[in-house]
Amino acid sequence: MSPINTWYARACRLYLLNSPILYGFIFVLFFVKSFFSLDPDFGWHLASGQYILEHGIPHHDIYSYTMPMFPWIHHEWLADVGNYLIYHYLGGYFTLSVVYAAMWTTAVWLLARLTKHRLLVLFAATLLLPFAGIRAITWTALLSSVLIVLCQSRRPKVIYFVPAVILLWANVHGSFVVGILYLLWRWLAKRSVVNISILLASLLVTFITPYGVGMYVEVLRTTTDNSLHVNIAEWLPLQPSVGVGIFAGIWVAVLFLTKKSVLWKRFLRFEAILLVMSFTSARHTVLFLLFALPAVLSGANGLRLPIKTVAAKRLATGLVALFVFICILFIGKTFKGYSFDREAAYPKAIAATLLEVPCDGNVFAHYNYGGYLIWKVPGEQLFIDGRMPSWGLDGQNIMENYLRVTKDSAYRAEAFSRYNVRCVVWNRSDSFGKTLQREGWSVVESDKNGTVLLRR
């Protein structure tokens, strides 16, 4: 065999990969991401799961002193109960990491299990990796994949399982609305009795939750709130991504080359809407990647490119090498700067101090510390945490008030007096932390990451 044929054969083996090795590697990636990262909201999710098991479903806020009467619609209640049971009884954070890594891996496998283009699958997994972890969005990924498989299956009877999937989805995450929209899209594309029946049944079961129509109220409030889309990273609009751009380019190419319909109809697809949505909010990228993956893989299966000449083989080998390099690059980018201590970015020592010597008033903490302190200092109520950026009462938005406290000294004095704020948890080097020290607040505890506990 000539050298070029040898390298081409190796490139083919690398591109096609071995299925167990591929999904084993993907699982390891998702596990490492889950185990060595701690989402800012993990703590309050865990605490709420315990609260639900001990006291029942909450119908008003239980963790803040600013909005105790706010009608909290906890759209992730069932997922939180599951998290707490696994964490408390089945092995803690390690077991949760295994479970969530398995959920992400299953989501990818369901959509790609029949393809031979497994390097494309690995590429898609690396693009999903930044969103992975012990996070509620994992349920969105898994149940989206299950829904896609059921709806696109060649066995017509499996479609009748869709309402059961939507029922579970409506109780674990508010993104179930995407599933309803997908079913609506399918009915508009093919108006059959089966499709409309599945759509109506799925719509009806979404009301079988502790909050009924309130789930839709929460989704509407979240998706239309301006402060959320301005201040929270995953909700920020127009965040260009090289990796997603490459994937979108592949998606466009395979639809252009493999579909026989009129050009504009080739792109009249549900994932096209999700691609547009991903420009308005980064978290929608997960949905675009998952819904577009079957089209990309089936399109790649349909391509018949003659690779017989030496030049074509060299080009194919080079493209495989480039793809492998891109995957390695994006994996490295995801894990760059990661610490073996997943709590390194959080105020561990300060939480221990507050637990041992409680504040003689209320605590004002950085937004990213809210969920952690709810978990580590049970009973401590806060100004704001990760559940609340879109919350508002009597014309007052809590996120806007929080930001105003950090910038407006007169408003800060009034708010701290009204809520009896006597302790602040902030980063020492941040301008707000320095301002408080100039105003007479004293540092009584410091953490390794630069966070300090300030008291009057």
Side-chain angles (χ1 to χ4, degrees), residues 317-347:
T317 303
L319 288 175
V320 170
L322 178 62
F323 229 72
V324 171
F325 174 76
I326 289 173
C327 289
I328 294 172
L329 186 66
F330 287 135
I331 292 171
K333 182 181 178 182
T334 298
F335 291 115
K336 182 180 179 181
Y338 263 56
S339 169
F340 287 110
D341 180 6
R342 58 177 167 269
E343 297 182 39
Y346 297 92

PDB file of all heavy atoms in Angstrom, residues 317-347:
ATOM      1  N   THR A 317      -7.943  13.315   3.681  1.00  0.00           N
ATOM      2  CA  THR A 317      -7.095  13.097   4.859  1.00  0.00           C
ATOM      3  C   THR A 317      -6.848  14.401   5.599  1.00  0.00           C
ATOM      4  O   THR A 317      -6.908  14.468   6.826  1.00  0.00           O
ATOM      5  CB  THR A 317      -5.752  12.479   4.435  1.00  0.00           C
ATOM      6  OG1 THR A 317      -5.999  11.263   3.727  1.00  0.00           O
ATOM      7  CG2 THR A 317      -4.882  12.193   5.649  1.00  0.00           C
ATOM      8  N   GLY A 318      -6.603  15.462   4.843  1.00  0.00           N
ATOM      9  CA  GLY A 318      -6.379  16.768   5.462  1.00  0.00           C
ATOM     10  C   GLY A 318      -7.604  17.281   6.197  1.00  0.00           C
ATOM     11  O   GLY A 318      -7.500  17.857   7.288  1.00  0.00           O
ATOM     12  N   LEU A 319      -8.798  17.058   5.606  1.00  0.00           N
ATOM     13  CA  LEU A 319     -10.035  17.506   6.251  1.00  0.00           C
ATOM     14  C   LEU A 319     -10.287  16.743   7.546  1.00  0.00           C
ATOM     15  O   LEU A 319     -10.737  17.330   8.547  1.00  0.00           O
ATOM     16  CB  LEU A 319     -11.212  17.323   5.288  1.00  0.00           C
ATOM     17  CG  LEU A 319     -11.272  18.296   4.103  1.00  0.00           C
ATOM     18  CD1 LEU A 319     -12.413  17.923   3.161  1.00  0.00           C
ATOM     19  CD2 LEU A 319     -11.433  19.733   4.606  1.00  0.00           C
ATOM     20  N   VAL A 320     -10.009  15.451   7.546  1.00  0.00           N
ATOM     21  CA  VAL A 320     -10.168  14.663   8.775  1.00  0.00           C
ATOM     22  C   VAL A 320      -9.223  15.176   9.855  1.00  0.00           C
ATOM     23  O   VAL A 320      -9.610  15.366  11.015  1.00  0.00           O
ATOM     24  CB  VAL A 320      -9.927  13.164   8.503  1.00  0.00           C
ATOM     25  CG1 VAL A 320      -9.857  12.386   9.818  1.00  0.00           C
ATOM     26  CG2 VAL A 320     -11.035  12.607   7.628  1.00  0.00           C
ATOM     27  N   ALA A 321      -7.956  15.409   9.459  1.00  0.00           N
ATOM     28  CA  ALA A 321      -6.983  15.934  10.426  1.00  0.00           C
ATOM     29  C   ALA A 321      -7.422  17.289  10.965  1.00  0.00           C
ATOM     30  O   ALA A 321      -7.305  17.563  12.170  1.00  0.00           O
ATOM     31  CB  ALA A 321      -5.609  16.038   9.761  1.00  0.00           C
ATOM     32  N   LEU A 322      -7.939  18.140  10.078  1.00  0.00           N
ATOM     33  CA  LEU A 322      -8.416  19.454  10.507  1.00  0.00           C
ATOM     34  C   LEU A 322      -9.589  19.320  11.476  1.00  0.00           C
ATOM     35  O   LEU A 322      -9.657  20.024  12.486  1.00  0.00           O
ATOM     36  CB  LEU A 322      -8.839  20.272   9.275  1.00  0.00           C
ATOM     37  CG  LEU A 322      -9.416  21.670   9.561  1.00  0.00           C
ATOM     38  CD1 LEU A 322      -8.370  22.545  10.257  1.00  0.00           C
ATOM     39  CD2 LEU A 322      -9.902  22.325   8.269  1.00  0.00           C
ATOM     40  N   PHE A 323     -10.492  18.399  11.182  1.00  0.00           N
ATOM     41  CA  PHE A 323     -11.657  18.188  12.045  1.00  0.00           C
ATOM     42  C   PHE A 323     -11.226  17.701  13.424  1.00  0.00           C
ATOM     43  O   PHE A 323     -11.764  18.146  14.449  1.00  0.00           O
ATOM     44  CB  PHE A 323     -12.592  17.174  11.391  1.00  0.00           C
ATOM     45  CG  PHE A 323     -14.014  17.625  11.354  1.00  0.00           C
ATOM     46  CD1 PHE A 323     -14.404  18.648  10.498  1.00  0.00           C
ATOM     47  CD2 PHE A 323     -14.959  17.050  12.172  1.00  0.00           C
ATOM     48  CE1 PHE A 323     -15.716  19.068  10.449  1.00  0.00           C
ATOM     49  CE2 PHE A 323     -16.282  17.470  12.142  1.00  0.00           C
ATOM     50  CZ  PHE A 323     -16.662  18.486  11.285  1.00  0.00           C
ATOM     51  N   VAL A 324     -10.286  16.773  13.449  1.00  0.00           N
ATOM     52  CA  VAL A 324      -9.776  16.279  14.736  1.00  0.00           C
ATOM     53  C   VAL A 324      -9.140  17.419  15.521  1.00  0.00           C
ATOM     54  O   VAL A 324      -9.359  17.570  16.727  1.00  0.00           O
ATOM     55  CB  VAL A 324      -8.751  15.140  14.514  1.00  0.00           C
ATOM     56  CG1 VAL A 324      -8.063  14.772  15.832  1.00  0.00           C
ATOM     57  CG2 VAL A 324      -9.435  13.923  13.921  1.00  0.00           C
ATOM     58  N   PHE A 325      -8.365  18.253  14.831  1.00  0.00           N
ATOM     59  CA  PHE A 325      -7.727  19.396  15.492  1.00  0.00           C
ATOM     60  C   PHE A 325      -8.769  20.349  16.065  1.00  0.00           C
ATOM     61  O   PHE A 325      -8.623  20.852  17.185  1.00  0.00           O
ATOM     62  CB  PHE A 325      -6.824  20.128  14.493  1.00  0.00           C
ATOM     63  CG  PHE A 325      -6.233  21.398  15.040  1.00  0.00           C
ATOM     64  CD1 PHE A 325      -5.174  21.363  15.940  1.00  0.00           C
ATOM     65  CD2 PHE A 325      -6.740  22.628  14.649  1.00  0.00           C
ATOM     66  CE1 PHE A 325      -4.637  22.535  16.445  1.00  0.00           C
ATOM     67  CE2 PHE A 325      -6.214  23.809  15.159  1.00  0.00           C
ATOM     68  CZ  PHE A 325      -5.148  23.761  16.060  1.00  0.00           C
ATOM     69  N   ILE A 326      -9.832  20.603  15.292  1.00  0.00           N
ATOM     70  CA  ILE A 326     -10.887  21.504  15.762  1.00  0.00           C
ATOM     71  C   ILE A 326     -11.555  20.941  17.012  1.00  0.00           C
ATOM     72  O   ILE A 326     -11.815  21.674  17.973  1.00  0.00           O
ATOM     73  CB  ILE A 326     -11.930  21.732  14.641  1.00  0.00           C
ATOM     74  CG1 ILE A 326     -11.313  22.589  13.530  1.00  0.00           C
ATOM     75  CG2 ILE A 326     -13.177  22.421  15.194  1.00  0.00           C
ATOM     76  CD1 ILE A 326     -12.201  22.722  12.306  1.00  0.00           C
ATOM     77  N   CYS A 327     -11.839  19.636  17.020  1.00  0.00           N
ATOM     78  CA  CYS A 327     -12.446  19.007  18.203  1.00  0.00           C
ATOM     79  C   CYS A 327     -11.546  19.157  19.418  1.00  0.00           C
ATOM     80  O   CYS A 327     -12.002  19.515  20.513  1.00  0.00           O
ATOM     81  CB  CYS A 327     -12.735  17.533  17.929  1.00  0.00           C
ATOM     82  SG  CYS A 327     -14.087  17.230  16.774  1.00  0.00           S
ATOM     83  N   ILE A 328     -10.250  18.884  19.234  1.00  0.00           N
ATOM     84  CA  ILE A 328      -9.298  19.015  20.344  1.00  0.00           C
ATOM     85  C   ILE A 328      -9.237  20.458  20.829  1.00  0.00           C
ATOM     86  O   ILE A 328      -9.198  20.733  22.037  1.00  0.00           O
ATOM     87  CB  ILE A 328      -7.896  18.529  19.907  1.00  0.00           C
ATOM     88  CG1 ILE A 328      -7.923  17.023  19.621  1.00  0.00           C
ATOM     89  CG2 ILE A 328      -6.852  18.850  20.971  1.00  0.00           C
ATOM     90  CD1 ILE A 328      -6.644  16.502  19.012  1.00  0.00           C
ATOM     91  N   LEU A 329      -9.264  21.389  19.887  1.00  0.00           N
ATOM     92  CA  LEU A 329      -9.202  22.808  20.226  1.00  0.00           C
ATOM     93  C   LEU A 329     -10.399  23.231  21.072  1.00  0.00           C
ATOM     94  O   LEU A 329     -10.246  23.904  22.096  1.00  0.00           O
ATOM     95  CB  LEU A 329      -9.149  23.635  18.940  1.00  0.00           C
ATOM     96  CG  LEU A 329      -8.946  25.144  19.096  1.00  0.00           C
ATOM     97  CD1 LEU A 329      -7.569  25.437  19.676  1.00  0.00           C
ATOM     98  CD2 LEU A 329      -9.116  25.838  17.754  1.00  0.00           C
ATOM     99  N   PHE A 330     -11.602  22.810  20.667  1.00  0.00           N
ATOM    100  CA  PHE A 330     -12.803  23.201  21.405  1.00  0.00           C
ATOM    101  C   PHE A 330     -12.894  22.505  22.761  1.00  0.00           C
ATOM    102  O   PHE A 330     -13.380  23.081  23.731  1.00  0.00           O
ATOM    103  CB  PHE A 330     -14.059  22.927  20.577  1.00  0.00           C
ATOM    104  CG  PHE A 330     -14.245  23.892  19.447  1.00  0.00           C
ATOM    105  CD1 PHE A 330     -14.605  23.451  18.180  1.00  0.00           C
ATOM    106  CD2 PHE A 330     -14.042  25.247  19.632  1.00  0.00           C
ATOM    107  CE1 PHE A 330     -14.775  24.336  17.138  1.00  0.00           C
ATOM    108  CE2 PHE A 330     -14.205  26.149  18.586  1.00  0.00           C
ATOM    109  CZ  PHE A 330     -14.570  25.688  17.339  1.00  0.00           C
ATOM    110  N   ILE A 331     -12.415  21.263  22.834  1.00  0.00           N
ATOM    111  CA  ILE A 331     -12.384  20.571  24.129  1.00  0.00           C
ATOM    112  C   ILE A 331     -11.432  21.292  25.069  1.00  0.00           C
ATOM    113  O   ILE A 331     -11.743  21.538  26.243  1.00  0.00           O
ATOM    114  CB  ILE A 331     -11.967  19.097  23.948  1.00  0.00           C
ATOM    115  CG1 ILE A 331     -13.058  18.332  23.203  1.00  0.00           C
ATOM    116  CG2 ILE A 331     -11.706  18.447  25.307  1.00  0.00           C
ATOM    117  CD1 ILE A 331     -12.649  16.941  22.779  1.00  0.00           C
ATOM    118  N   GLY A 332     -10.262  21.651  24.553  1.00  0.00           N
ATOM    119  CA  GLY A 332      -9.295  22.380  25.372  1.00  0.00           C
ATOM    120  C   GLY A 332      -9.827  23.726  25.821  1.00  0.00           C
ATOM    121  O   GLY A 332      -9.611  24.145  26.969  1.00  0.00           O
ATOM    122  N   LYS A 333     -10.548  24.407  24.926  1.00  0.00           N
ATOM    123  CA  LYS A 333     -11.121  25.702  25.281  1.00  0.00           C
ATOM    124  C   LYS A 333     -12.144  25.567  26.401  1.00  0.00           C
ATOM    125  O   LYS A 333     -12.215  26.405  27.305  1.00  0.00           O
ATOM    126  CB  LYS A 333     -11.770  26.326  24.044  1.00  0.00           C
ATOM    127  CG  LYS A 333     -12.367  27.704  24.291  1.00  0.00           C
ATOM    128  CD  LYS A 333     -13.017  28.258  23.026  1.00  0.00           C
ATOM    129  CE  LYS A 333     -13.653  29.618  23.304  1.00  0.00           C
ATOM    130  NZ  LYS A 333     -14.330  30.154  22.086  1.00  0.00           N
ATOM    131  N   THR A 334     -12.941  24.501  26.364  1.00  0.00           N
ATOM    132  CA  THR A 334     -13.956  24.284  27.395  1.00  0.00           C
ATOM    133  C   THR A 334     -13.321  24.089  28.762  1.00  0.00           C
ATOM    134  O   THR A 334     -13.809  24.629  29.766  1.00  0.00           O
ATOM    135  CB  THR A 334     -14.820  23.056  27.041  1.00  0.00           C
ATOM    136  OG1 THR A 334     -15.489  23.292  25.810  1.00  0.00           O
ATOM    137  CG2 THR A 334     -15.849  22.789  28.137  1.00  0.00           C
ATOM    138  N   PHE A 335     -12.230  23.331  28.808  1.00  0.00           N
ATOM    139  CA  PHE A 335     -11.628  22.994  30.104  1.00  0.00           C
ATOM    140  C   PHE A 335     -10.503  23.930  30.519  1.00  0.00           C
ATOM    141  O   PHE A 335      -9.898  23.744  31.573  1.00  0.00           O
ATOM    142  CB  PHE A 335     -11.112  21.552  30.076  1.00  0.00           C
ATOM    143  CG  PHE A 335     -12.204  20.529  30.009  1.00  0.00           C
ATOM    144  CD1 PHE A 335     -12.328  19.711  28.900  1.00  0.00           C
ATOM    145  CD2 PHE A 335     -13.117  20.402  31.037  1.00  0.00           C
ATOM    146  CE1 PHE A 335     -13.344  18.765  28.823  1.00  0.00           C
ATOM    147  CE2 PHE A 335     -14.141  19.458  30.977  1.00  0.00           C
ATOM    148  CZ  PHE A 335     -14.248  18.645  29.864  1.00  0.00           C
ATOM    149  N   LYS A 336     -10.222  24.927  29.711  1.00  0.00           N
ATOM    150  CA  LYS A 336      -9.152  25.861  30.042  1.00  0.00           C
ATOM    151  C   LYS A 336      -9.455  26.593  31.354  1.00  0.00           C
ATOM    152  O   LYS A 336     -10.537  27.150  31.533  1.00  0.00           O
ATOM    153  CB  LYS A 336      -8.972  26.882  28.924  1.00  0.00           C
ATOM    154  CG  LYS A 336      -7.833  27.862  29.165  1.00  0.00           C
ATOM    155  CD  LYS A 336      -7.716  28.858  28.017  1.00  0.00           C
ATOM    156  CE  LYS A 336      -6.590  29.841  28.262  1.00  0.00           C
ATOM    157  NZ  LYS A 336      -6.475  30.833  27.147  1.00  0.00           N
ATOM    158  N   GLY A 337      -8.508  26.573  32.271  1.00  0.00           N
ATOM    159  CA  GLY A 337      -8.671  27.284  33.530  1.00  0.00           C
ATOM    160  C   GLY A 337      -9.472  26.545  34.577  1.00  0.00           C
ATOM    161  O   GLY A 337      -9.735  27.097  35.652  1.00  0.00           O
ATOM    162  N   TYR A 338      -9.879  25.289  34.290  1.00  0.00           N
ATOM    163  CA  TYR A 338     -10.663  24.540  35.261  1.00  0.00           C
ATOM    164  C   TYR A 338      -9.814  24.150  36.463  1.00  0.00           C
ATOM    165  O   TYR A 338      -8.633  23.847  36.349  1.00  0.00           O
ATOM    166  CB  TYR A 338     -11.266  23.286  34.622  1.00  0.00           C
ATOM    167  CG  TYR A 338     -12.697  23.491  34.175  1.00  0.00           C
ATOM    168  CD1 TYR A 338     -13.014  24.512  33.290  1.00  0.00           C
ATOM    169  CD2 TYR A 338     -13.719  22.682  34.638  1.00  0.00           C
ATOM    170  CE1 TYR A 338     -14.310  24.713  32.874  1.00  0.00           C
ATOM    171  CE2 TYR A 338     -15.024  22.868  34.222  1.00  0.00           C
ATOM    172  CZ  TYR A 338     -15.308  23.887  33.344  1.00  0.00           C
ATOM    173  OH  TYR A 338     -16.596  24.092  32.938  1.00  0.00           O
ATOM    174  N   SER A 339     -10.432  24.134  37.616  1.00  0.00           N
ATOM    175  CA  SER A 339      -9.762  23.743  38.843  1.00  0.00           C
ATOM    176  C   SER A 339     -10.278  22.381  39.292  1.00  0.00           C
ATOM    177  O   SER A 339     -11.440  22.028  39.042  1.00  0.00           O
ATOM    178  CB  SER A 339     -10.029  24.778  39.939  1.00  0.00           C
ATOM    179  OG  SER A 339      -9.594  24.306  41.197  1.00  0.00           O
ATOM    180  N   PHE A 340      -9.412  21.610  39.947  1.00  0.00           N
ATOM    181  CA  PHE A 340      -9.851  20.339  40.508  1.00  0.00           C
ATOM    182  C   PHE A 340     -10.812  20.565  41.672  1.00  0.00           C
ATOM    183  O   PHE A 340     -11.536  19.660  42.072  1.00  0.00           O
ATOM    184  CB  PHE A 340      -8.645  19.507  40.962  1.00  0.00           C
ATOM    185  CG  PHE A 340      -7.856  18.924  39.820  1.00  0.00           C
ATOM    186  CD1 PHE A 340      -6.590  19.384  39.523  1.00  0.00           C
ATOM    187  CD2 PHE A 340      -8.395  17.910  39.033  1.00  0.00           C
ATOM    188  CE1 PHE A 340      -5.867  18.847  38.472  1.00  0.00           C
ATOM    189  CE2 PHE A 340      -7.695  17.374  37.980  1.00  0.00           C
ATOM    190  CZ  PHE A 340      -6.421  17.844  37.695  1.00  0.00           C
ATOM    191  N   ASP A 341     -10.797  21.760  42.217  1.00  0.00           N
ATOM    192  CA  ASP A 341     -11.721  22.120  43.286  1.00  0.00           C
ATOM    193  C   ASP A 341     -12.894  22.862  42.665  1.00  0.00           C
ATOM    194  O   ASP A 341     -12.800  24.035  42.327  1.00  0.00           O
ATOM    195  CB  ASP A 341     -11.009  23.007  44.322  1.00  0.00           C
ATOM    196  CG  ASP A 341     -11.933  23.423  45.461  1.00  0.00           C
ATOM    197  OD1 ASP A 341     -13.078  22.931  45.513  1.00  0.00           O
ATOM    198  OD2 ASP A 341     -11.506  24.245  46.303  1.00  0.00           O
ATOM    199  N   ARG A 342     -14.011  22.176  42.506  1.00  0.00           N
ATOM    200  CA  ARG A 342     -15.163  22.782  41.829  1.00  0.00           C
ATOM    201  C   ARG A 342     -15.756  23.940  42.620  1.00  0.00           C
ATOM    202  O   ARG A 342     -16.530  24.736  42.081  1.00  0.00           O
ATOM    203  CB  ARG A 342     -16.239  21.734  41.540  1.00  0.00           C
ATOM    204  CG  ARG A 342     -16.760  21.020  42.755  1.00  0.00           C
ATOM    205  CD  ARG A 342     -17.879  20.039  42.394  1.00  0.00           C
ATOM    206  NE  ARG A 342     -18.157  19.148  43.508  1.00  0.00           N
ATOM    207  CZ  ARG A 342     -17.575  17.969  43.685  1.00  0.00           C
ATOM    208  NH1 ARG A 342     -16.695  17.532  42.806  1.00  0.00           N
ATOM    209  NH2 ARG A 342     -17.865  17.219  44.739  1.00  0.00           N
ATOM    210  N   GLU A 343     -15.444  24.040  43.915  1.00  0.00           N
ATOM    211  CA  GLU A 343     -15.962  25.130  44.734  1.00  0.00           C
ATOM    212  C   GLU A 343     -14.966  26.280  44.862  1.00  0.00           C
ATOM    213  O   GLU A 343     -15.189  27.199  45.654  1.00  0.00           O
ATOM    214  CB  GLU A 343     -16.348  24.615  46.118  1.00  0.00           C
ATOM    215  CG  GLU A 343     -17.483  23.591  46.101  1.00  0.00           C
ATOM    216  CD  GLU A 343     -17.875  23.124  47.495  1.00  0.00           C
ATOM    217  OE1 GLU A 343     -17.891  23.971  48.417  1.00  0.00           O
ATOM    218  OE2 GLU A 343     -18.142  21.920  47.672  1.00  0.00           O
ATOM    219  N   ALA A 344     -13.903  26.241  44.057  1.00  0.00           N
ATOM    220  CA  ALA A 344     -12.849  27.253  44.190  1.00  0.00           C
ATOM    221  C   ALA A 344     -13.362  28.663  43.935  1.00  0.00           C
ATOM    222  O   ALA A 344     -12.847  29.630  44.505  1.00  0.00           O
ATOM    223  CB  ALA A 344     -11.700  26.931  43.224  1.00  0.00           C
ATOM    224  N   ALA A 345     -14.366  28.803  43.081  1.00  0.00           N
ATOM    225  CA  ALA A 345     -14.871  30.139  42.749  1.00  0.00           C
ATOM    226  C   ALA A 345     -15.935  30.630  43.726  1.00  0.00           C
ATOM    227  O   ALA A 345     -16.442  31.742  43.568  1.00  0.00           O
ATOM    228  CB  ALA A 345     -15.448  30.126  41.328  1.00  0.00           C
ATOM    229  N   TYR A 346     -16.234  29.823  44.726  1.00  0.00           N
ATOM    230  CA  TYR A 346     -17.323  30.161  45.642  1.00  0.00           C
ATOM    231  C   TYR A 346     -16.795  30.436  47.059  1.00  0.00           C
ATOM    232  O   TYR A 346     -15.711  29.972  47.431  1.00  0.00           O
ATOM    233  CB  TYR A 346     -18.357  29.025  45.669  1.00  0.00           C
ATOM    234  CG  TYR A 346     -19.012  28.819  44.334  1.00  0.00           C
ATOM    235  CD1 TYR A 346     -18.487  27.904  43.411  1.00  0.00           C
ATOM    236  CD2 TYR A 346     -20.129  29.544  43.966  1.00  0.00           C
ATOM    237  CE1 TYR A 346     -19.081  27.723  42.172  1.00  0.00           C
ATOM    238  CE2 TYR A 346     -20.733  29.373  42.725  1.00  0.00           C
ATOM    239  CZ  TYR A 346     -20.196  28.449  41.834  1.00  0.00           C
ATOM    240  OH  TYR A 346     -20.765  28.286  40.608  1.00  0.00           O
ATOM    241  N   PRO A 347     -17.552  31.158  47.874  1.00  0.00           N
ATOM    242  CA  PRO A 347     -17.082  31.570  49.205  1.00  0.00           C
ATOM    243  C   PRO A 347     -17.226  30.470  50.262  1.00  0.00           C
ATOM    244  O   PRO A 347     -18.089  30.533  51.143  1.00  0.00           O
ATOM    245  CB  PRO A 347     -17.970  32.778  49.520  1.00  0.00           C
ATOM    246  CG  PRO A 347     -19.249  32.506  48.795  1.00  0.00           C
ATOM    247  CD  PRO A 347     -18.849  31.802  47.524  1.00  0.00           C
TER     248      PRO A 347
END
